[in-house]
Amino acid sequence: MRPSFYPRLVNGPFDDPALFVPFFFEKRALLFDMGDLHSLAPKELLKITHCFVSHTHMDHFVGFDTLLRIFLGRNNTLHIFGPAGFLQNVEGKLAGYTWNLVENFDHNFVLKATEVHAQYTLTRVYRCSEAFAPNQPPERAPFDGTLLKEPFFSVETTLLDHNTPCLAFKLSERFHVNILKDRLKKLGIPVGPWLRRFKEALYQERDPEGDFEATWKEGGKERKTTFCLGDLARQIAHISPGQKMVYVVDAVFSPENARKIIDIARDADQLFIEAAFLHAQADVARRKYHLTARQAGMLARKAGVKSLTVFHFSPRYLNTPSLLEKEAREAFLTASTGSDGMQGG
Ligand SMILES: [Zn+2]
Ligand SMILES: [Zn+2]
């Protein structure tokens, strides 16, 4: 199955983290954490519509300015999410600059920020044309774990303990539509932009008895054929479970965090998870509210994820990053014979 999302860590495992997730089928991307964003090209940054910030320790939020700088003076809306205290952090960042000439800008960039609490969210809008002054009080909404829901994907979160709330995120494609090219060929219709409309019709659950028009160009001429949507879907589409990607950073290894991480990561295709320390330094990891590589690997195994990527390594391992990867991989592939710390660890 050709993936719909292509998640990639923007930096190496020792750098300030950010996971960039471009979409295959449109010029759009999501971003998880705003660490060092300098290696993303402006055209990539401008694809971002939603950013999910785990917590506002500097290493996860320092890229805010890079993002703001590139979006400023554009007619875009950027929606960012973060844990308790997020609105204050965002307002503090915005207050760090002088905005006296922005009302002359031709474009009106809008920043929307949502602060996530266990039972509710607070959303506030900051407009460039208003010098980012928050003119309305935050809007409060009940929260059930889902941050963003669109016809073809959703983003959910869970609150972890890092001695401050830290959000872990799951991006799920609702289902995956695979186009059967050989069947398409038999119908005598070429691939083209109409397939995107066709997929959208499926995600929007349009009436399967309704008409769907496939249009394409042949020899410079417009061609079209009308199908019954449901019939066409049965003929050329294979529907399978959607892609699932999970992002977990800074969290202490407690029974509650372990349960929440396993829950959110269950059966994910890809898990990106911090592995700050080797298990030999588990006491340091605990004091700093981080996971060890062995704990990260074990959580991935218990969640049944298909692919594991560890990152966010402590600089003390700068010369030996492979040790962290090896320890995580061993715990991922093999059940530990000793205590893996699920009870007391
Ligand atoms: Zn942190
Ligand atoms: Zn961190």
Side-chain angles (χ1 to χ4, degrees):
M1 139 175 136
R2 172 184 270 175
S4 296
F5 311 108
Y6 287 84
R8 75 169 201 266
L9 287 166
V10 170
N11 303 305
F14 293 99
D15 303 317
D16 293 346
L19 182 77
F20 182 65
V21 185
F23 293 12
F24 173 71
F25 47 88
E26 62 177 315
K27 286 197 176 80
R28 182 177 171 191
L30 306 177
L31 184 71
F32 294 85
D33 269 345
M34 296 182 198
D36 184 351
L37 301 182
H38 286 105
S39 61
L40 284 173
K43 73 167 198 275
E44 291 182 302
L45 290 168
L46 286 168
K47 284 183 192 165
I48 297 169
T49 57
H50 297 78
C51 291
F52 302 89
V53 178
S54 62
H55 63 305
T56 48
H57 279 160
M58 199 172 179
D59 49 335
H60 299 257
F61 197 43
V62 70
F64 177 88
D65 283 20
T66 309
L67 211 54
L68 181 63
R69 184 72 193 92
I70 208 91
F71 273 85
L72 205 60
R74 313 227 176 212
N75 237 352
N76 282 1
T77 296
L78 179 67
H79 194 163
I80 62 180
F81 300 77
F86 191 58
L87 296 183
Q88 198 188 346
N89 292 140
V90 169
E91 285 166 23
K93 288 263 196 189
L94 293 169
Y97 297 99
T98 306
W99 303 108
N100 64 313
L101 295 174
V102 286
E103 69 272 20
N104 301 330
F105 283 15
D106 291 335
H107 300 301
N108 185 13
F109 168 59
V110 176
L111 181 70
K112 203 170 166 185
T114 296
E115 179 172 305
V116 183
H117 295 257
Q119 309 290 336
Y120 63 95
T121 58
L122 296 173
T123 298
R124 210 161 195 192
V125 173
Y126 309 88
R127 291 172 203 283
C128 177
S129 60
E130 296 166 358
F132 295 108
N135 286 335
Q136 301 287 328
E139 200 174 296
R140 193 181 157 115
F143 180 59
D144 63 358
T146 301
L147 293 175
L148 179 63
K149 196 167 187 159
E150 296 198 10
F152 98 96
F153 77 93
S154 62
V155 176
E156 288 157 70
T157 191
T158 191
L159 274 76
L160 302 177
D161 172 21
H162 176 47
N163 200 23
T164 182
C166 180
L167 303 176
F169 301 105
K170 172 164 76 175
L171 166 63
S172 321
E173 186 186 21
R174 231 172 92 216
F175 50 82
H176 193 79
V177 182
N178 220 19
I179 301 297
L180 306 166
K181 301 278 164 50
D182 50 335
R183 302 268 189 91
L184 203 56
K185 214 170 173 183
K186 269 190 201 152
L187 290 176
I189 303 176
V191 295
W194 71 271
L195 277 172
R196 195 177 142 191
R197 279 196 300 107
F198 169 65
K199 287 185 181 181
E200 276 170 5
L202 298 182
Y203 283 118
Q204 286 160 2
E205 293 177 344
R206 281 210 219 126
D207 179 9
E209 302 298 323
D211 284 352
F212 179 85
E213 211 168 64
T215 51
W216 68 98
K217 275 195 175 136
E218 211 171 79
K221 278 192 181 159
E222 285 283 340
R223 297 275 315 267
K224 66 176 179 189
T225 306
T226 305
F227 294 93
C228 162
L229 178 64
D231 279 351
L232 184 62
R234 272 186 293 278
Q235 285 187 70
I236 67 160
H238 177 252
I239 311 282
S240 54
Q243 192 181 346
K244 239 196 257 180
M245 183 226 81
V246 173
Y247 179 85
V248 177
V249 285
D250 307 14
V252 70
F253 191 80
S254 65
E256 196 186 352
N257 271 354
R259 181 183 58 74
K260 287 177 168 177
I261 293 169
I262 293 169
D263 268 0
I264 199 167
R266 190 164 323 277
D267 301 329
D269 296 292
Q270 288 158 294
L271 171 65
F272 294 85
I273 185 166
E274 73 146 349
F277 296 92
L278 284 173
H279 207 70
Q281 283 85 49
D283 54 333
V284 185
R286 163 174 287 279
R287 270 205 311 279
K288 294 180 181 259
Y289 287 78
H290 279 284
L291 296 175
T292 68
R294 188 194 295 177
Q295 290 160 349
M298 183 274 292
L299 292 168
R301 174 168 48 78
K302 297 213 168 186
V305 310
K306 295 193 184 77
S307 139
L308 167 70
T309 305
V310 288
F311 68 110
H312 206 20
F313 300 163
S314 160
R316 69 170 68 193
Y317 307 106
L318 260 174
N319 296 319
T320 52
S322 61
L323 291 181
L324 290 154
E325 272 152 17
K326 187 164 170 275
E327 185 177 282
R329 197 134 309 275
E330 278 172 9
F332 178 44
L333 297 175
T334 342
S336 149
T337 45
S339 160
D340 50 24
M342 273 304 277
Q343 300 307 317

